[in-house]
Amino acid sequence: MALAEQIQPTFWTRFWRRAIKNFPLRILSLAIAIGLWIFVNAGQRSSIDELSIPITYRRLPAGLVIVNHPADFVKIQVTGPRTLLSLLDPGRLAVRLDLSGIGPGQASYKVNPSMFNIPHQTTVTNVSPSEVILDIDRVVQRDIPVHVAVEG
């Protein structure tokens, strides 16, 4: 029996053999896990980002035209985790103003934070300008006689 006990490895010997087996892969997987943990936790810190969001004007009735030069972009400030803010695409957050039913004169449209489709855990804190003012007028067409004076 003494010989059988010497041939069979002890619990701790088997444990250390298994622990050392594939040691570089174990260290690499531990490093990746720690890196992911740091990335996720660092990304949860709150940050502020300023975006320029395009404004599109849709369904302007026939025979009407916008006389003034309204804003093409709205600047918004968004707060939230850095990882979510990096995913925001200003082109997909466009402000679409529906001008159907509008008549000649001045029209104003409020631009508020609820108009933007942003992810949860993020908030629009500031919108500039918060109001878009449009001067609308009728398109007028006239026939004017033209006399050409030709010399020579």
Side-chain angles (χ1 to χ4, degrees):
M1 283 235 181
L3 184 60
E5 289 177 7
Q6 289 177 358
I7 294 174
Q8 236 180 18
T10 65
F11 169 77
W12 289 109
T13 307
R14 286 180 289 168
F15 173 79
W16 285 112
R17 281 186 193 160
R18 287 184 182 161
I20 293 174
K21 186 176 180 180
N22 296 328
F23 187 71
L25 284 175
R26 291 174 190 251
I27 293 297
L28 179 64
S29 63
L30 181 65
I32 289 172
I34 290 171
L36 283 172
W37 183 81
I38 289 172
F39 175 75
V40 168
N41 284 326
Q44 294 302 320
R45 292 195 183 133
S46 192
S47 181
I48 298 175
D49 200 2
E50 188 169 296
L51 302 171
S52 290
I53 308 300
I55 301 175
T56 57
Y57 303 96
R58 301 169 46 192
R59 299 183 189 164
L60 182 65
L64 295 179
V65 67
I66 300 173
V67 179
N68 63 340
H69 297 288
D72 292 331
F73 291 92
V74 169
K75 289 194 182 292
I76 64 170
Q77 281 187 343
V78 184
T79 59
R82 264 184 257 158
T83 52
L84 290 177
L85 293 180
S86 67
L87 299 174
L88 290 177
D89 180 18
R92 298 185 86 202
L93 297 175
V95 175
R96 292 170 182 84
L97 296 180
D98 186 8
L99 304 179
S100 61
I102 197 170
Q106 195 173 57
S108 66
Y109 291 92
K110 297 277 187 194
V111 181
N112 52 33
S114 64
M115 297 175 83
F116 302 98
N117 185 18
I118 57 172
H120 295 291
Q121 300 176 352
T122 57
T123 318
V124 176
T125 57
N126 189 18
V127 179
S128 176
S130 61
E131 185 176 25
V132 177
I133 299 173
L134 302 175
D135 288 328
I136 309 294
D137 207 353
R138 293 189 194 284
V139 175
V140 178
Q141 189 175 21
R142 290 186 184 166
D143 292 331
I144 300 175
V146 177
H147 300 286
V148 180
V150 180
E151 290 184 18

